[in-house]
């Protein structure tokens, strides 16, 4: 049995008609719901569709259609089908789920089914059997209804929609890394990717003020339909290990925002995309560590204010302000009252390649008069010795070339960042001066457990003394917390500007 | 029993005597001589002390550390503590005095009720094992935690030149920290900044 080419319109029409009949026949056999969407087969030759039918929750494709697409020859002999391609063969029968592929046994989720004179095989036949004997790579992506043949660039795109206090955030991840281009055309933004196709399932969107919906414009572009409140957008792109991470904020018109207006969009705009493996130099991601939590209450004031509650309240305020005013990505080591180990706090920050780690605490003193904020950075007992042994090791990097890296024990990672942490600590103290009362010794170094493994500039901020009754009352007020958070954000802005202006960033 | 003759009893007596003499010789060979050799060879002064009748009143002056007036540092105060023949005994005597509640107006940074469980010294590092009260009775702030830690570290390093770093253990175990800030995973050297 040989199958005709599907490229001819008449054949395609007939096949389609046959399939409609088949699906309705199969529907009577016991399947429920709408007929499944067909698969799109992408190759260098173009796009073809492959009809899919569903029997008892299992998706099937017609063997003759698959054979036509992949130029396979099919021969039937005493109940067994032999499918061959360039001397390699697949043997399968309708009475078992096992098939022989180039002499090796594979299993299919269901037996092949005979229907209307055609043989239907489970869709997994493509990935498990055909892929093994075919010349080019065959990749079945069921969620996106795609079969990718050959070396095409078809990144997986995941999109999540979050609401901001004023605006809407789209977080788009592309695996493997893929360069995006963003442009505004009338009532929508077009997000175009440098790829052959996209493996994407668009999330359902509830139409709202900033975002009306998401849609496919073509094979490599997504349309973002804007809502009536939309005024401008702000975007940032990060190249992480194996993916591109794009954050796109849809914001109100500049008149609606009190803080610094985002840059006006200038379509079409190639996004600021660093080369793969190159580090970014500006401040994008900040980790806020609310000290203590869960059974570890930290210090307790005389009127009952607990350190773990205070640090979480301030952390939440700081997060909101950093996201809204600076558009930063903010990671919280905890956003509820729970215990988090020291190592998990820094691991979150390290694994997400945060640019800063900010640990919030409140102090106590045995002398009730002590009051004021201070900023602490790491000290290591054997710091001088560790620094002396920091010799660069040359390693090959992905994509070719060599790179010098310094190898540091993970529990001493902070050693490499002590100078930058010191710079940040100084900026925070300067920003506090005149606004937030300072301790008599506002800058200090100590062997701090939570900062030791932070692979980025890291400071521990003591907001004030809970052992001082007056200060405890002050720390609990909205006004004071707002002032502290404002001062911290100002310090981070100075740190960011110093980073992008002076040094290229040694991260 | 009754069937055992005189020769039998004699054999048992000789065997017992042999065992006693043998173990005595073994003790002398493996414990006594090395001890005598070590104490006699390396520190003759200590050996002399061992031979003399103990002097119950013998004391030395040690510097102990208490919280300064502003609460932000440690101040050294001289105290008499019992003399210890070796570094471990001396360290123990100093720590007992440092941990004991001080008389007014001195304020100790070590929580009341904390007990000294054990002291070990290996090389230049001392390991001070404190009871759980040092954690449960702690006020919790990073300043107080540093004062607690460096009271213990300074009391040892300031008085015993042979020890340069101290690691605090709690209830016999290594801990991350006492109150969530100071890293106690390795022996800490003294930090002179804390002492005024």
């Amino acid at each position: 049995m040989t199958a005709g080419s599907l490229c001819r319109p008449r054949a395609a029409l007939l096949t389609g008609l046959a399939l409609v009949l088949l699906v309705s026949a199969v529907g009577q056999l016991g399947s429920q719901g709408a007929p499944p969407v067909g698969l799109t087969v992408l190759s260098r030759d173009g796009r073809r569709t492959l009809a899919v039918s569903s029997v008892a929750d299992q998706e099937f494709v017609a063997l003759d259609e698959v054979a036509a697409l992949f130029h396979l020859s099919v021969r039937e002999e005493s109940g067994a089908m032999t499918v061959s391609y360039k001397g390699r063969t697949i043997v399968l029968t309708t009475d078992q789920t096992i098939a022989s592929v180039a002499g090796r046994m594979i299993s299919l989720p269901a037996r092949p089914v005979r229907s209307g004179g055609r043989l239907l095989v489970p869709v997994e036949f493509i990935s498990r059997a055909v892929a093994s004997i075919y010349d080019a790579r065959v990749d079945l992506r069921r969620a996106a209804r795609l079969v990718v043949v050959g070396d095409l660039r078809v990144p997986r795109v995941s999109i999540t929609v979050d609401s901001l206090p004023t605006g809407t955030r789209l977080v788009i991840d592309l695996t493997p890394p893929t360069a995006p281009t963003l442009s505004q055309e009338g009532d929508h933004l077009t997000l175009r990717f440098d790829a052959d196709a996209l493996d994407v399932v668009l999330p359902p969107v509830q139409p709202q003020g900033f975002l009306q919906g998401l849609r496919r414009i073509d094979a490599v572009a997504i349309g973002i339909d804007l809502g009536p409140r939309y005024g401008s957008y702000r975007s940032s792109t990060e190249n992480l290990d194996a993916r591109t991470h794009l954050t796109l904020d849809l914001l109100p018109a500049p008149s609606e925002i009190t803080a610094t207006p985002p840059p006006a969009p200038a379509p079409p705009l190639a996004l600021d995309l660093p080369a793969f493996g190159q580090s970014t130099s500006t401040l994008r991601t900040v980790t806020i560590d609310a000290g203590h939590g869960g059974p570890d209450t930290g210090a307790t004031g005389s009127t009952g204010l607990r350190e773990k509650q205070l640090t979480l309240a301030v952390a939440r305020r700081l997060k909101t302000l950093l996201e809204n005013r600076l558009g930063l990505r903010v990671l919280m080591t905890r956003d509820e009252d729970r215990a988090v180990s020291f190592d998990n706090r820094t691991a979150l920050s390290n694994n997400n390649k945060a640019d800063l780690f900010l640990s919030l605490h409140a102090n106590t003193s045995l002398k009730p008069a002590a009051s004021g904020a201070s900023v602490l950075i790491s000290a290591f007992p054997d710091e001088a010795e560790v620094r002396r042994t920091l010799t660069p090791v040359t390693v090959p990097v992905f994509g070719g070339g060599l790179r010098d890296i310094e190898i540091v024990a993970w529990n001493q990672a902070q050693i490499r960042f002590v100078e930058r942490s010191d710079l940040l600590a100084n900026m925070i103290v300067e920003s506090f001066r005149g606004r937030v009362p300072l301790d008599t010794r506002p800058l200090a170094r100590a062997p701090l457990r939570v900062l030791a493994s932070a692979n980025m500039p890291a400071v521990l901020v003591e907001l004030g003394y809970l052992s001082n009754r007056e200060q405890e009352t002050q720390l609990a007020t909205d006004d004071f917390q707002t002032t502290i958070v404002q001062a911290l954000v100002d310090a981070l802005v100075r740190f960011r500007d110093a980073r992008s202006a002076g040094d290229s960033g040694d991260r | 029993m009754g069937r055992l003759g005189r020769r039998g009893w004699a054999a048992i007596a000789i065997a017992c005597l042999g065992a006693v003499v043998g173990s005595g010789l073994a003790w002398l060979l493996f414990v006594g001589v090395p001890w005598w050799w070590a104490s006699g060879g390396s520190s003759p002064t200590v050996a002399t002390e061992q031979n003399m009748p103990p002097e119950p009143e013998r004391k030395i002056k040690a510097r102990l550390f208490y919280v300064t007036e502003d609460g932000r540092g440690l101040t050294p105060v001289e105290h008499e503590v019992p003399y210890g023949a070796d570094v471990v005994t001396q360290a123990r005597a100093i720590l007992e005095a440092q941990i004991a509640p001080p008389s007014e107006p001195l304020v100790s940074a070590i929580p009341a009720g904390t007990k000294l469980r054990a002291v070990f010294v290996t090389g230049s590092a001392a390991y001070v094992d404190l009871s759980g009260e040092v954690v449960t009775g702690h006020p919790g702030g990073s300043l107080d935690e540093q004062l607690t830690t460096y009271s213990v570290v300074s009391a040892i390093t300031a008085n015993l030149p042979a020890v340069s770093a101290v690691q605090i253990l709690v209830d016999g175990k290594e801990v991350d920290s006492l109150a969530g800030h100071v890293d106690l995973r390795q022996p800490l050297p003294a930090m002179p900044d804390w002492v005024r």
Side-chain angles (χ1 to χ4, degrees), chain A residues 292 296 298-300 307 342-343 361-367 370-372 376 379 381-382 410-412 439-441 445-450 452-453 460 462 465, chain B residues 67-72 105 107-110 138-147 150 176-177 179-189 191 193-194 196:
Chain A
H292 309 277
D296 171 16
T300 305
E307 184 181 358
F342 293 115
D343 290 335
H361 287 260
N363 222 335
T364 63
S365 171
L366 295 164
K367 305 283 180 166
S371 80
L376 284 76
D382 48 358
W410 68 272
N411 56 358
Q412 295 178 320
D439 201 343
T440 48
R441 201 178 149 198
R445 293 192 67 183
L448 296 168
R449 176 63 178 88
V450 73
S453 311
L460 187 150
E462 291 286 0
Y465 282 84
Chain B
V67 181
T68 53
E69 200 50 51
D70 65 355
R72 289 174 171 87
V107 173
S108 170
I110 298 166
H138 202 276
S142 70
L143 173 66
D144 285 338
E145 189 183 357
Q146 291 178 80
L147 294 178
Y150 287 105
D176 278 319
S177 79
H181 313 94
V182 180
D183 195 340
L184 294 184
R185 290 175 298 171
Q186 57 177 316
L188 295 176
M191 234 175 163
D193 282 6
W194 286 104
R196 315 277 169 80

Side-chain angles (χ1 to χ4, degrees), chain B residues 113-131:
Chain B
T114 303
K115 286 180 264 314
L116 181 65
R117 287 169 42 100
V119 180
F120 315 92
V121 177
T122 53
S124 60
Y127 297 82
V128 176
D129 182 8
L130 302 176
S131 67

